[in-house]
Amino acid sequence: MRPGAVTLALSSLIVLGAGPPAPPPLPARMADTGGGTQLITAVAPQRASTTGTLTWWDRGGDGRWVKRGSAPARFGANGLVAGASRKQGTSTTPTGLYGLPYAFGIKAAPPGTAYGYRRVHRDSWWCQDNDSRSYNRWSEPRAADCRAAEAERLITYRAQYAHALVIGFNYERPVRGRGAGIFLHVNGRGATAGCVSVPEDAMRRLLTWADPARRPHIAVGTVNGKTAVTRL
């Protein structure tokens, strides 16, 4: 070997092994993950986007977050907006960190589903009537004060509501006019009316993964800006 060749070879190895360290997983860069040990992130490139990526994560006993799966996601036809300022009927997906109260579906729960799972029947409705006492609630049968024109008859959305998880947006203490019926559900034909959707196989995998005892949450946001998921 020529003089200096060993030094050159070592230098090459150092250069090849150099480079910035891999960034921490997304949940580790978030301001809040809900306090549980499971998390779903739904991230869009920007606020006007109608597509992005949904990923689900587990936090181990060592505190590290591990990616368990991902799928392409769809958002509202008019993009995303901060949940606190969202208005009903705008076809926008609210950003924020939300609990997942329960699951439901027209089809039976996938085997292994631990979440409380409510089957959709012919008289199952989701009330979106701002004047109803059942606003932003499942109603079966439809409440007398909830107008049919201001409610979703769930069974009519056979593709989308084959399986779904309720997203706890505007759910605990509903604010009238902010929005109702925001779910994580199966894809329809295109962008959503404000929900988050994924392919059916991904939705089934999510239901067999999610464990209510581990307090899963969903974080919806953008890559950057005021609605960045890392700022939630």
Side-chain angles (χ1 to χ4, degrees), residues 93-158:
T93 297
T95 64
L97 180 68
Y98 305 107
L100 299 161
Y102 62 91
F104 69 91
I106 295 171
K107 295 182 179 179
T113 299
Y115 249 87
Y117 190 91
R118 191 166 188 176
R119 289 296 297 275
V120 173
H121 302 112
R122 294 188 61 82
D123 210 15
S124 303
W125 297 74
W126 196 276
C127 184
Q128 300 177 354
D129 189 335
N130 282 282
D131 296 325
S132 174
R133 288 174 294 178
S134 299
Y135 179 67
N136 202 19
R137 288 292 185 272
W138 182 296
S139 183
E140 187 176 332
R142 178 172 52 83
D145 68 345
C146 183
R147 294 167 289 175
E150 299 294 328
E152 278 191 350
R153 191 180 185 191
L154 300 177
I155 203 165
T156 62
Y157 297 89
R158 292 191 174 275

Side-chain angles (χ1 to χ4, degrees), residues 23-209:
L26 178 57
R29 292 179 275 127
M30 292 173 55
D32 187 7
T33 58
T37 58
Q38 287 188 326
L39 180 70
I40 300 170
T41 55
V43 185
Q46 53 190 6
R47 288 178 63 174
S49 300
T50 58
T51 60
T53 303
L54 184 136
T55 308
W56 49 105
W57 311 80
D58 283 325
R59 191 176 70 185
D62 60 359
R64 296 183 181 181
W65 288 96
V66 178
K67 177 180 173 181
R68 293 304 185 195
S70 66
R74 296 177 183 175
F75 301 100
N78 289 321
L80 298 86
V81 69
S85 59
R86 184 182 186 272
K87 294 183 179 179
Q88 187 164 324
T90 55
S91 292
T92 53
T93 297
T95 64
L97 180 68
Y98 305 107
L100 299 161
Y102 62 91
F104 69 91
I106 295 171
K107 295 182 179 179
T113 299
Y115 249 87
Y117 190 91
R118 191 166 188 176
R119 289 296 297 275
V120 173
H121 302 112
R122 294 188 61 82
D123 210 15
S124 303
W125 297 74
W126 196 276
C127 184
Q128 300 177 354
D129 189 335
N130 282 282
D131 296 325
S132 174
R133 288 174 294 178
S134 299
Y135 179 67
N136 202 19
R137 288 292 185 272
W138 182 296
S139 183
E140 187 176 332
R142 178 172 52 83
D145 68 345
C146 183
R147 294 167 289 175
E150 299 294 328
E152 278 191 350
R153 191 180 185 191
L154 300 177
I155 203 165
T156 62
Y157 297 89
R158 292 191 174 275
Q160 295 93 324
Y161 298 156
H163 304 291
L165 274 163
V166 176
I167 294 177
F169 166 74
N170 201 30
Y171 189 78
E172 292 298 328
R173 298 177 180 83
V175 175
R176 310 286 167 155
R178 183 161 290 171
I182 301 298
F183 311 128
L184 171 57
H185 63 66
V186 176
N187 285 339
R189 293 184 178 179
T192 74
C195 296
V196 180
S197 73
V198 293
E200 184 171 355
D201 66 324
M203 194 67 228
R204 292 178 66 87
R205 283 186 286 146
L206 278 163
L207 287 173
T208 58
W209 161 84

